[in-house]
């Protein structure tokens, strides 16, 4: 399985990561060799096998719909890199 | 009083009989951290209020208050368990100076028990690594040989207990992150069954695999701490509906008649011959104690690493999307939002974390989801069935924890795949979801510890801890701190 430079740039974009030009080739090689190893799974026939996403028999866990105390604005914003008027502040979104 | 060799039970008795105060006990370990952590580099943060908190416990005891068994005893936490009175960094730049606005459920339970948190322990960044080398802040060293890695990702937890900087510690295990460092540092490391300990406030790596567990010198100490932290938590929807119980009740030391499965696939090519010899000697000892070894086969073992690196990275790529420079943590200033996201994440995450996010993003991306992610989940079912079939015949499975003893810094860090293969014997268990532990079973020719792994069915922690307990009582494998840490 080979990963192209174009693939690396595409994945990086999806993951919101910046990849410098000089890193692309190295990453393509590393990801390619891991994917090559992972290809091993192709040896197995899994027809009719159910996928496991979770090991315990727990489904749609709910609790009683009762109001409980929450963090509060001050605590929730305490770690924010930037906050204003009780909100998180981010750089401009719309040009 | 020789505190360093005391078990938690002995500490608890000495505290209750007022032969020892919590202040003395906490000060003893703080002094050791001061003296030795320059070498070991296990602590990212030391709790400056530890002595004061110990004094409070002593005062409550002096007032005649009935306190829980472990009140006044120190513990330290891997730095991905959130604490509202100390920083939590996950050893990542992106969480530099982060102070959580709440406590993890385990943090609250530890405090309710009256245990004193000595500080927060170094780890691989976001628990991604097997050597502690991916930490942004410091490389924890193995107390048995400071030129070698402590294992990972809970390397700081393992090394701090091994060096006697804390009597016990908590870590987390996603693919072996408790058992492998415990093996490399010569301590007992327990990964409970998935869902036994609440994950609320455990910063997530791979949510279907992560589980908090214990590091200790003895299985009994681990069982005591587990009794304090296990149990259902309404704040964690994946928490199992298990009742609180005393896990030490099952530590009878009697393991006669237990069937122990020896999987041929775990003793094949790639296993260091000395590790193999020590684990086989451990099995012989268990046989002497009345266990009946049974050869078993786990035919899908060879596929576990592949399945793991698809599922774990996929879940991680989703979990780590929350680190975007908006709500907490590091932010790289930029003109617009998109650039802020990418700059923040590129500067905030280290190379291994970025590699795994990219791998996870790839296997979940359009056109590859079925071929990788769904396929991996199906093979996960086959691996789970291997365990279920084995446990129809045996009570526990015995195998090596790690294919080798502690390796040198840099030995595997240049090749990600080679590093991934150092978890080859621990990963399957997380995919199945059962419990497992590593117990020291001897030393190699360079005096580095070797660990034996004991794997159990869902919620049979008591049984595997009892095997480890009986083994520790009978084997005579030392639980002492290494030379150089005895003063």
């Amino acid at each position: 399985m080979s990963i192209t430079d174009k693939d690396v740039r595409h994945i990086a974009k999806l993951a919101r990561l910046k990849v410098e030009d000089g890193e692309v080739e190295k990453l393509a090689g590393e990801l390619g060799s891991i994917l090559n190893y992972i290809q091993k799974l192709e040896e197995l026939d899994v027809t009719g096998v159910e996928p496991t996403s979770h090991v315990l028999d727990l489904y749609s866990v709910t609790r009683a719909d009762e109001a409980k105390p929450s963090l509060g604005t001050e605590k929730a914003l305490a770690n924010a890199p930037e906050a204003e008027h009780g909100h998180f502040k981010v750089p401009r979104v719309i040009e | 009083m020789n505190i360093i060799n005391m078990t938690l039970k002995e500490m608890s008795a000495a505290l209750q009989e007022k032969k020892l105060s919590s202040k003395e006990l906490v000060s003893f370990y703080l002094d050791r951290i001061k003296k030795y952590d320059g070498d070991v580099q296990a602590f990212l943060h030391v709790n400056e209020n530890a002595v004061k908190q110990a004094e409070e416990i002593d005062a409550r005891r002096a007032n005649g208050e009935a306190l829980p068994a472990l009140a006044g005893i120190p513990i330290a936490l891997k730095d991905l368990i959130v604490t509202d009175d100390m920083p939590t960094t996950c050893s990542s730049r992106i969480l530099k100076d982060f102070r959580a606005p709440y406590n993890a459920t385990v943090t609250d339970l530890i405090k309710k028990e009256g245990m004193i948190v000595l500080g927060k322990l170094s780890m691989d960044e976001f628990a991604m690594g097997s050597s502690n080398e991916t930490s942004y802040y410091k490389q924890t060293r193995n107390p048995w040989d400071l030129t070698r890695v402590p294992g990972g990702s809970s390397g700081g937890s393992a090394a701090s207990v091994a060096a006697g900087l804390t009597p016990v510690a908590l870590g987390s295990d996603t693919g072996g992150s408790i058992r492998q460092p415990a093996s490399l540092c010569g301590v007992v490391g327990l990964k409970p069954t998935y869902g036994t300990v609440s994950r609320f406030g455990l910063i997530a790596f791979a949510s279907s695999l992560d589980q908090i567990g214990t590091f200790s010198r003895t299985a009994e100490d681990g069982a005591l701490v587990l009794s304090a932290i296990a149990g259902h938590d309404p704040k964690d929807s994946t928490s199992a509906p298990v009742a609180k119980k005393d896990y030490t009740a099952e530590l009878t030391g009697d393991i006669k008649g237990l069937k122990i499965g020896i999987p041929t696939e775990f003793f094949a090519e790639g296993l260091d011959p000395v590790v193999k010899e020590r684990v086989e000697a451990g099995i012989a000892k268990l046989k002497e104690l009345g266990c009946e070894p049974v050869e078993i086969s786990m035919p899908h073992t060879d596929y576990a690493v592949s399945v793991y690196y698809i599922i774990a990275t996929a879940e991680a790529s989703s979990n780590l999307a929350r680190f975007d420079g908006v709500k907490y943590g590091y932010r790289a200033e930029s003109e617009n939002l998109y650039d802020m996201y990418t700059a923040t994440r590129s500067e905030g995450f280290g190379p291994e974390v970025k590699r795994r996010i990219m791998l996870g993003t790839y296997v979940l991306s359009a056109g590859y989801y079925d071929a990788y992610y769904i396929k991996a989940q199906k093979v996960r079912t086959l691996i789970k069935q291997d365990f279920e079939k084995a446990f129809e015949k045996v009570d526990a499975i015995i195998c090596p924890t790690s294919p080798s003893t502690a390796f040198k810094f840099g030995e595997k860090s240049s090749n990600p795949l080679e590093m991934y293969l150092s978890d080859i014997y621990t990963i399957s268990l997380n995919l199945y979801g059962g419990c497992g532990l590593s117990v020291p079973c001897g030393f190699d020719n360079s005096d580095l510890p070797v660990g034996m792994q004991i794997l159990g069915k869902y919620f049979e922690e008591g049984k595997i801890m009892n095997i480890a307990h009986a083994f520790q009582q009978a084997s005579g494998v030392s639980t002492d701190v290494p030379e150089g840490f005895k003063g």
Side-chain angles (χ1 to χ4, degrees), chain A residues 82 84 88-95, chain B residues 324-326 331-342:
Chain A
E82 225 182 328
E84 209 175 285
F88 295 105
K89 193 176 175 190
V90 295
R92 192 179 49 201
V93 183
I94 301 161
E95 293 296 327
Chain B
D324 58 4
V326 175
R331 174 190 285 191
E333 294 306 330
S334 298
E335 286 298 302
N336 65 61
L337 191 60
Y338 180 86
D339 288 349
M340 190 278 280
Y341 287 153
T342 53

Side-chain angles (χ1 to χ4, degrees), chain B residues 183 260-264 266-268 271-287 293 397-405 425 437-444 448-455 467 471 475 477:
Chain B
S183 173
I260 51 173
I262 317 299
T264 39
F266 285 66
F267 290 84
L271 176 61
D272 178 308
V274 180
V275 173
K276 184 168 184 261
E277 213 173 274
R278 296 296 178 273
V279 175
E280 283 171 347
I283 293 166
K285 179 55 80 179
L286 293 174
K287 198 176 168 189
I397 294 169
I398 313 283
C399 58
T401 309
S402 165
S404 72
T405 52
Y425 300 135
L437 62 81
S438 180
V439 60
C441 67
F443 293 86
D444 73 2
L448 297 168
V450 178
M452 175 168 78
Q453 207 179 187
I454 309 177
L455 309 178
I467 298 173
F471 177 76
S475 70
V477 174

Side-chain angles (χ1 to χ4, degrees), chain B residues 298-316:
Chain B
M298 313 272 285
H300 298 96
T301 300
D302 247 7
Y303 302 98
V305 173
S306 300
V307 171
Y308 177 83
Y309 278 94
I310 293 171
I311 291 176
T313 59
E315 293 183 12

Side-chain angles (χ1 to χ4, degrees), chain A residues 61-63 68, chain B residues 105 198 200 231-240:
Chain A
V61 178
T62 56
R63 64 164 174 82
K68 295 199 174 164
Chain B
T105 295
S198 169
F200 181 78
H232 180 255
D233 178 14
K235 289 179 182 165
D236 173 4
S237 65
T238 60
S239 162

Side-chain angles (χ1 to χ4, degrees), chain A residues 1-3 7-19 23 26-27 30-31 33-35 37-56 58 61 63 68 71 75-82 88-93 95, chain B residues 98-99 101-102 194-195 208 237-241 300 302-303 305-307 310 325-329 331 334-338 340-343 345-346 349 354-355 357-359 361-362 365 372 375-382 384 416-417 420-421 431-433 458-459:
Chain A
M1 182 76 202
S2 68
I3 289 265
D7 291 332
V8 170
R9 289 183 207 279
H10 175 63
I11 306 162
K13 194 177 166 207
L14 289 175
R16 297 292 183 268
L17 290 167
K18 196 162 55 186
V19 179
E23 296 173 309
K26 184 164 174 268
L27 264 169
E30 286 171 349
L31 293 175
S33 78
I34 297 166
L35 287 167
Y37 178 83
I38 287 173
Q39 293 290 314
K40 208 185 192 47
L41 295 186
E42 283 188 3
E43 298 165 11
L44 287 174
D45 180 7
V46 291
T47 318
V49 179
E50 285 295 317
T52 296
S53 59
H54 199 271
V55 294
L56 300 179
L58 294 171
V61 178
R63 64 164 174 82
K68 295 199 174 164
L71 273 186
K75 268 191 170 180
L77 291 175
N79 281 289
E82 225 182 328
F88 295 105
K89 193 176 175 190
V90 295
R92 192 179 49 201
V93 183
E95 293 296 327
Chain B
F98 172 69
R99 277 181 185 259
Y102 58 88
Y194 180 83
S208 80
S237 65
T238 60
S239 162
H300 298 96
D302 247 7
Y303 302 98
V305 173
S306 300
V307 171
I310 293 171
V326 175
K327 301 175 291 300
Y328 37 71
R331 174 190 285 191
S334 298
E335 286 298 302
N336 65 61
L337 191 60
Y338 180 86
M340 190 278 280
Y341 287 153
T342 53
R345 291 164 61 78
S346 303
F349 291 136
K354 284 191 247 187
R355 193 152 45 227
I357 290 174
M358 291 188 66
L359 187 61
T361 304
Y362 181 77
S365 64
Y372 286 108
K375 176 93 189 228
Q377 287 191 321
K378 288 182 176 174
V379 182
R380 183 176 185 181
T381 303
L382 298 176
K384 196 171 161 235
L417 186 58
Y420 296 174
L421 291 173
L431 296 168
Y432 160 61
Y458 295 139
F459 307 115

Side-chain angles (χ1 to χ4, degrees), chain B residues 29-104:
Chain B
Y29 284 103
L30 289 174
D31 287 346
R32 288 187 61 87
I33 293 168
K34 230 171 256 164
K35 189 168 175 188
Y36 294 117
D37 201 41
D39 287 335
V40 183
Q41 299 278 310
F43 280 82
L44 287 173
H45 182 85
V46 176
N47 179 12
E48 60 271 23
N49 297 316
V51 172
K52 203 180 114 223
Q53 290 162 359
E55 284 171 344
E56 283 164 17
I57 291 290
D58 288 333
R60 285 168 62 188
R61 202 186 301 278
N63 278 335
E65 197 179 322
L67 297 171
L70 303 180
I73 295 175
I75 189 167
L77 309 178
K78 184 177 181 181
D79 205 26
L80 44 42
I81 294 171
V82 302
T83 43
D84 66 6
D85 58 351
M86 280 179 265
T88 304
T89 69
C90 275
S91 280
S92 180
R93 185 186 186 195
I94 212 159
L95 281 176
K96 191 166 188 288
D97 302 324
F98 172 69
R99 277 181 185 259
Y102 58 88
N103 276 334

